[in-house]
Amino acid sequence: MIRTFVPGKLRSLLILLFCQVCAMSVWFASAAAVPAIKQAVALSSWQEALLTSSVQAGFVAGTVLSALLGLADRYDPRRLFMLSAGVAAAATLTLVVCAPAGVPVYVLRFVTGMCMAGVYPVGMRLAATWAKGDLGLLIGLLVGALSLGSASPHLLAAFGGMQWTSVYLAAAALAAIAAVAINFCGLGPAMTRSVRLNPAAVAQAWRVPALRLANLGYLGHMWELYAMWAWLAVFLHFSFEMNGVNQPWLAAERVTFFAIGAGALGAWAGGWFADRYGRTAVTTLAMFVSASCALVIGWTAGAPTVVVTTLAVIWGISAIADSAQFSASIAELSTPDSIGTLLTAQTCAGFLLTLVSIHLVPPVQALLGWPGAFSMLAIGPALGCVMMLRLRRDPASLKMANGRR
């Protein structure tokens, strides 16, 4: 529940959350379409990974450009969101007339990723303008919308017989709706705008010790999150096939949707608890749980469906429960006129790291199996716990969550 009443706050936030869900549906559209694509063409594990990592690479390029130009702090974030979602919708729609794999597809996915740099961090910037003692909850709601949007293509793919083109068409339509609807979202009273270009603002992310620790904690979180989202469906299919589940791909898509979508509950709950008990406490606990799930789930391949599904859902919830609190920490530790830039820089570094972890999973899995691949992902949140405990001891952390650290 949003505690502080500000005229237009609830309406604007509901519009923003709706737009975030719709726009983010293009992100994992290819990952969800892979089973259908494989029926049309043969895909290597490297090509399969490129369908997701090309979006990540585009996002990194987009966030670098946005951070250096200070776009989120210098211009109306609603217009930036609208333009980005509209171009992403067009790029995703174009995939329908392309061969399902190849250079044109990777280029279009790269463009889509660049556009997401004007959606995800800009959405957080918009949410922060309405914050008044509830920043963790507001950004938690937004990250929950990110989870639902990222999970939605798996729900589309779970309908038996759906073609890969249908997944792209639906995702493009949702992104186009977001591009229109975001114009009805208001700006909150905490909105500030930088009047000049200041690329040096990005240096605060490393130069200021508290910001550095928050960013390092975020990197540990990101090492795990998107690699898990990208490869969970593949692991679940492998497990369900071993267990003799009927139509294992469809079952895997459904469970993947619920596991990733359930992350919305984790993000919302994480925001509520962090505003009351502290950001470092919530992030440390969430990363401990997600690291534990990563260490265990690989060993459950072929186990009873209920066991694997339950563990996947717990992993999905815990892996995202801390995400918003890293962003909220940056917003609280930054100067007001650099919040958008530093949020963009944070997400840029995090998604750059996901390019490594996403592509490492297949070779590690081939060498050590799923237990080894997922245990590798557990390294990130484990180190993230260390960074957030160090931040908790930093006096600057008193700026977070009204002194609750």
PDB file of all heavy atoms in Angstrom, residues 32-53:
ATOM      1  N   ALA A  32      11.464 -16.843 -24.956  1.00  0.00           N
ATOM      2  CA  ALA A  32      10.207 -17.586 -24.891  1.00  0.00           C
ATOM      3  C   ALA A  32       9.868 -18.236 -26.232  1.00  0.00           C
ATOM      4  O   ALA A  32       9.207 -19.280 -26.272  1.00  0.00           O
ATOM      5  CB  ALA A  32       9.075 -16.648 -24.471  1.00  0.00           C
ATOM      6  N   ALA A  33      10.333 -17.626 -27.324  1.00  0.00           N
ATOM      7  CA  ALA A  33      10.015 -18.160 -28.652  1.00  0.00           C
ATOM      8  C   ALA A  33      10.956 -19.277 -29.088  1.00  0.00           C
ATOM      9  O   ALA A  33      10.692 -19.952 -30.082  1.00  0.00           O
ATOM     10  CB  ALA A  33      10.054 -17.031 -29.685  1.00  0.00           C
ATOM     11  N   VAL A  34      12.033 -19.497 -28.352  1.00  0.00           N
ATOM     12  CA  VAL A  34      13.054 -20.473 -28.749  1.00  0.00           C
ATOM     13  C   VAL A  34      12.491 -21.865 -29.030  1.00  0.00           C
ATOM     14  O   VAL A  34      12.846 -22.481 -30.048  1.00  0.00           O
ATOM     15  CB  VAL A  34      14.187 -20.536 -27.696  1.00  0.00           C
ATOM     16  CG1 VAL A  34      14.962 -21.838 -27.796  1.00  0.00           C
ATOM     17  CG2 VAL A  34      15.145 -19.370 -27.906  1.00  0.00           C
ATOM     18  N   PRO A  35      11.637 -22.445 -28.167  1.00  0.00           N
ATOM     19  CA  PRO A  35      11.121 -23.791 -28.476  1.00  0.00           C
ATOM     20  C   PRO A  35      10.445 -23.862 -29.842  1.00  0.00           C
ATOM     21  O   PRO A  35      10.652 -24.825 -30.591  1.00  0.00           O
ATOM     22  CB  PRO A  35      10.118 -24.046 -27.342  1.00  0.00           C
ATOM     23  CG  PRO A  35      10.600 -23.203 -26.219  1.00  0.00           C
ATOM     24  CD  PRO A  35      11.139 -21.969 -26.870  1.00  0.00           C
ATOM     25  N   ALA A  36       9.644 -22.839 -30.179  1.00  0.00           N
ATOM     26  CA  ALA A  36       8.981 -22.828 -31.486  1.00  0.00           C
ATOM     27  C   ALA A  36       9.991 -22.578 -32.610  1.00  0.00           C
ATOM     28  O   ALA A  36       9.876 -23.156 -33.698  1.00  0.00           O
ATOM     29  CB  ALA A  36       7.889 -21.764 -31.501  1.00  0.00           C
ATOM     30  N   ILE A  37      10.976 -21.726 -32.355  1.00  0.00           N
ATOM     31  CA  ILE A  37      12.006 -21.460 -33.370  1.00  0.00           C
ATOM     32  C   ILE A  37      12.777 -22.738 -33.694  1.00  0.00           C
ATOM     33  O   ILE A  37      13.104 -23.013 -34.855  1.00  0.00           O
ATOM     34  CB  ILE A  37      12.965 -20.353 -32.880  1.00  0.00           C
ATOM     35  CG1 ILE A  37      12.253 -19.004 -32.851  1.00  0.00           C
ATOM     36  CG2 ILE A  37      14.196 -20.269 -33.774  1.00  0.00           C
ATOM     37  CD1 ILE A  37      13.083 -17.875 -32.258  1.00  0.00           C
ATOM     38  N   LYS A  38      13.060 -23.536 -32.669  1.00  0.00           N
ATOM     39  CA  LYS A  38      13.823 -24.773 -32.873  1.00  0.00           C
ATOM     40  C   LYS A  38      13.074 -25.775 -33.751  1.00  0.00           C
ATOM     41  O   LYS A  38      13.686 -26.674 -34.328  1.00  0.00           O
ATOM     42  CB  LYS A  38      14.151 -25.409 -31.514  1.00  0.00           C
ATOM     43  CG  LYS A  38      15.289 -24.720 -30.783  1.00  0.00           C
ATOM     44  CD  LYS A  38      15.622 -25.453 -29.490  1.00  0.00           C
ATOM     45  CE  LYS A  38      16.880 -24.901 -28.852  1.00  0.00           C
ATOM     46  NZ  LYS A  38      17.207 -25.599 -27.578  1.00  0.00           N
ATOM     47  N   GLN A  39      11.770 -25.612 -33.830  1.00  0.00           N
ATOM     48  CA  GLN A  39      11.008 -26.486 -34.724  1.00  0.00           C
ATOM     49  C   GLN A  39      11.167 -26.070 -36.187  1.00  0.00           C
ATOM     50  O   GLN A  39      10.897 -26.836 -37.093  1.00  0.00           O
ATOM     51  CB  GLN A  39       9.531 -26.463 -34.334  1.00  0.00           C
ATOM     52  CG  GLN A  39       9.251 -27.047 -32.964  1.00  0.00           C
ATOM     53  CD  GLN A  39       7.790 -26.966 -32.576  1.00  0.00           C
ATOM     54  OE1 GLN A  39       6.946 -26.596 -33.386  1.00  0.00           O
ATOM     55  NE2 GLN A  39       7.478 -27.310 -31.332  1.00  0.00           N
ATOM     56  N   ALA A  40      11.598 -24.812 -36.382  1.00  0.00           N
ATOM     57  CA  ALA A  40      11.769 -24.304 -37.744  1.00  0.00           C
ATOM     58  C   ALA A  40      13.216 -24.391 -38.220  1.00  0.00           C
ATOM     59  O   ALA A  40      13.472 -24.686 -39.394  1.00  0.00           O
ATOM     60  CB  ALA A  40      11.276 -22.853 -37.819  1.00  0.00           C
ATOM     61  N   VAL A  41      14.155 -24.098 -37.323  1.00  0.00           N
ATOM     62  CA  VAL A  41      15.572 -24.132 -37.688  1.00  0.00           C
ATOM     63  C   VAL A  41      16.366 -24.743 -36.538  1.00  0.00           C
ATOM     64  O   VAL A  41      15.920 -24.749 -35.391  1.00  0.00           O
ATOM     65  CB  VAL A  41      16.122 -22.718 -37.991  1.00  0.00           C
ATOM     66  CG1 VAL A  41      15.410 -22.097 -39.180  1.00  0.00           C
ATOM     67  CG2 VAL A  41      16.011 -21.822 -36.765  1.00  0.00           C
ATOM     68  N   ALA A  42      17.563 -25.236 -36.859  1.00  0.00           N
ATOM     69  CA  ALA A  42      18.454 -25.766 -35.824  1.00  0.00           C
ATOM     70  C   ALA A  42      19.215 -24.605 -35.190  1.00  0.00           C
ATOM     71  O   ALA A  42      19.761 -23.748 -35.891  1.00  0.00           O
ATOM     72  CB  ALA A  42      19.426 -26.776 -36.428  1.00  0.00           C
ATOM     73  N   LEU A  43      19.254 -24.570 -33.857  1.00  0.00           N
ATOM     74  CA  LEU A  43      19.961 -23.526 -33.127  1.00  0.00           C
ATOM     75  C   LEU A  43      21.042 -24.149 -32.261  1.00  0.00           C
ATOM     76  O   LEU A  43      20.786 -25.122 -31.543  1.00  0.00           O
ATOM     77  CB  LEU A  43      19.002 -22.744 -32.208  1.00  0.00           C
ATOM     78  CG  LEU A  43      18.015 -21.754 -32.834  1.00  0.00           C
ATOM     79  CD1 LEU A  43      17.204 -21.091 -31.722  1.00  0.00           C
ATOM     80  CD2 LEU A  43      18.728 -20.701 -33.655  1.00  0.00           C
ATOM     81  N   SER A  44      22.249 -23.604 -32.319  1.00  0.00           N
ATOM     82  CA  SER A  44      23.291 -24.024 -31.384  1.00  0.00           C
ATOM     83  C   SER A  44      23.064 -23.309 -30.059  1.00  0.00           C
ATOM     84  O   SER A  44      22.303 -22.334 -29.978  1.00  0.00           O
ATOM     85  CB  SER A  44      24.672 -23.659 -31.943  1.00  0.00           C
ATOM     86  OG  SER A  44      24.833 -22.243 -31.979  1.00  0.00           O
ATOM     87  N   SER A  45      23.721 -23.787 -29.006  1.00  0.00           N
ATOM     88  CA  SER A  45      23.577 -23.133 -27.703  1.00  0.00           C
ATOM     89  C   SER A  45      24.104 -21.698 -27.755  1.00  0.00           C
ATOM     90  O   SER A  45      23.571 -20.808 -27.079  1.00  0.00           O
ATOM     91  CB  SER A  45      24.323 -23.926 -26.616  1.00  0.00           C
ATOM     92  OG  SER A  45      25.713 -24.017 -26.917  1.00  0.00           O
ATOM     93  N   TRP A  46      25.115 -21.471 -28.595  1.00  0.00           N
ATOM     94  CA  TRP A  46      25.660 -20.113 -28.740  1.00  0.00           C
ATOM     95  C   TRP A  46      24.637 -19.189 -29.405  1.00  0.00           C
ATOM     96  O   TRP A  46      24.430 -18.061 -28.960  1.00  0.00           O
ATOM     97  CB  TRP A  46      26.937 -20.171 -29.565  1.00  0.00           C
ATOM     98  CG  TRP A  46      27.556 -18.834 -29.822  1.00  0.00           C
ATOM     99  CD1 TRP A  46      27.498 -18.111 -30.979  1.00  0.00           C
ATOM    100  CD2 TRP A  46      28.313 -18.030 -28.908  1.00  0.00           C
ATOM    101  NE1 TRP A  46      28.163 -16.924 -30.857  1.00  0.00           N
ATOM    102  CE2 TRP A  46      28.680 -16.846 -29.588  1.00  0.00           C
ATOM    103  CE3 TRP A  46      28.726 -18.201 -27.601  1.00  0.00           C
ATOM    104  CZ2 TRP A  46      29.426 -15.833 -28.988  1.00  0.00           C
ATOM    105  CZ3 TRP A  46      29.477 -17.194 -26.997  1.00  0.00           C
ATOM    106  CH2 TRP A  46      29.816 -16.036 -27.682  1.00  0.00           C
ATOM    107  N   GLN A  47      23.984 -19.669 -30.462  1.00  0.00           N
ATOM    108  CA  GLN A  47      22.951 -18.867 -31.121  1.00  0.00           C
ATOM    109  C   GLN A  47      21.778 -18.602 -30.187  1.00  0.00           C
ATOM    110  O   GLN A  47      21.216 -17.504 -30.171  1.00  0.00           O
ATOM    111  CB  GLN A  47      22.459 -19.583 -32.384  1.00  0.00           C
ATOM    112  CG  GLN A  47      23.451 -19.633 -33.521  1.00  0.00           C
ATOM    113  CD  GLN A  47      22.928 -20.454 -34.680  1.00  0.00           C
ATOM    114  OE1 GLN A  47      22.474 -21.588 -34.505  1.00  0.00           O
ATOM    115  NE2 GLN A  47      23.008 -19.896 -35.881  1.00  0.00           N
ATOM    116  N   GLU A  48      21.421 -19.611 -29.427  1.00  0.00           N
ATOM    117  CA  GLU A  48      20.321 -19.459 -28.473  1.00  0.00           C
ATOM    118  C   GLU A  48      20.658 -18.396 -27.432  1.00  0.00           C
ATOM    119  O   GLU A  48      19.823 -17.550 -27.090  1.00  0.00           O
ATOM    120  CB  GLU A  48      20.052 -20.809 -27.795  1.00  0.00           C
ATOM    121  CG  GLU A  48      18.814 -20.838 -26.935  1.00  0.00           C
ATOM    122  CD  GLU A  48      18.526 -22.230 -26.406  1.00  0.00           C
ATOM    123  OE1 GLU A  48      19.038 -23.216 -26.991  1.00  0.00           O
ATOM    124  OE2 GLU A  48      17.794 -22.336 -25.409  1.00  0.00           O
ATOM    125  N   ALA A  49      21.895 -18.422 -26.934  1.00  0.00           N
ATOM    126  CA  ALA A  49      22.308 -17.420 -25.952  1.00  0.00           C
ATOM    127  C   ALA A  49      22.326 -16.024 -26.561  1.00  0.00           C
ATOM    128  O   ALA A  49      21.980 -15.041 -25.900  1.00  0.00           O
ATOM    129  CB  ALA A  49      23.690 -17.769 -25.399  1.00  0.00           C
ATOM    130  N   LEU A  50      22.709 -15.925 -27.847  1.00  0.00           N
ATOM    131  CA  LEU A  50      22.777 -14.621 -28.504  1.00  0.00           C
ATOM    132  C   LEU A  50      21.416 -13.948 -28.606  1.00  0.00           C
ATOM    133  O   LEU A  50      21.325 -12.719 -28.619  1.00  0.00           O
ATOM    134  CB  LEU A  50      23.376 -14.769 -29.903  1.00  0.00           C
ATOM    135  CG  LEU A  50      24.900 -14.693 -30.020  1.00  0.00           C
ATOM    136  CD1 LEU A  50      25.327 -14.950 -31.460  1.00  0.00           C
ATOM    137  CD2 LEU A  50      25.415 -13.336 -29.548  1.00  0.00           C
ATOM    138  N   LEU A  51      20.353 -14.732 -28.683  1.00  0.00           N
ATOM    139  CA  LEU A  51      19.023 -14.150 -28.772  1.00  0.00           C
ATOM    140  C   LEU A  51      18.704 -13.310 -27.533  1.00  0.00           C
ATOM    141  O   LEU A  51      17.962 -12.328 -27.605  1.00  0.00           O
ATOM    142  CB  LEU A  51      17.967 -15.247 -28.949  1.00  0.00           C
ATOM    143  CG  LEU A  51      17.932 -15.924 -30.315  1.00  0.00           C
ATOM    144  CD1 LEU A  51      16.983 -17.106 -30.309  1.00  0.00           C
ATOM    145  CD2 LEU A  51      17.538 -14.927 -31.402  1.00  0.00           C
ATOM    146  N   THR A  52      19.262 -13.710 -26.391  1.00  0.00           N
ATOM    147  CA  THR A  52      19.063 -12.935 -25.168  1.00  0.00           C
ATOM    148  C   THR A  52      20.203 -11.952 -24.944  1.00  0.00           C
ATOM    149  O   THR A  52      19.978 -10.781 -24.626  1.00  0.00           O
ATOM    150  CB  THR A  52      18.961 -13.873 -23.947  1.00  0.00           C
ATOM    151  OG1 THR A  52      17.794 -14.697 -24.091  1.00  0.00           O
ATOM    152  CG2 THR A  52      18.837 -13.070 -22.657  1.00  0.00           C
ATOM    153  N   SER A  53      21.449 -12.395 -25.136  1.00  0.00           N
ATOM    154  CA  SER A  53      22.585 -11.533 -24.808  1.00  0.00           C
ATOM    155  C   SER A  53      22.707 -10.344 -25.755  1.00  0.00           C
ATOM    156  O   SER A  53      23.274  -9.311 -25.381  1.00  0.00           O
ATOM    157  CB  SER A  53      23.891 -12.336 -24.805  1.00  0.00           C
ATOM    158  OG  SER A  53      24.184 -12.838 -26.095  1.00  0.00           O
TER     159      SER A  53
END
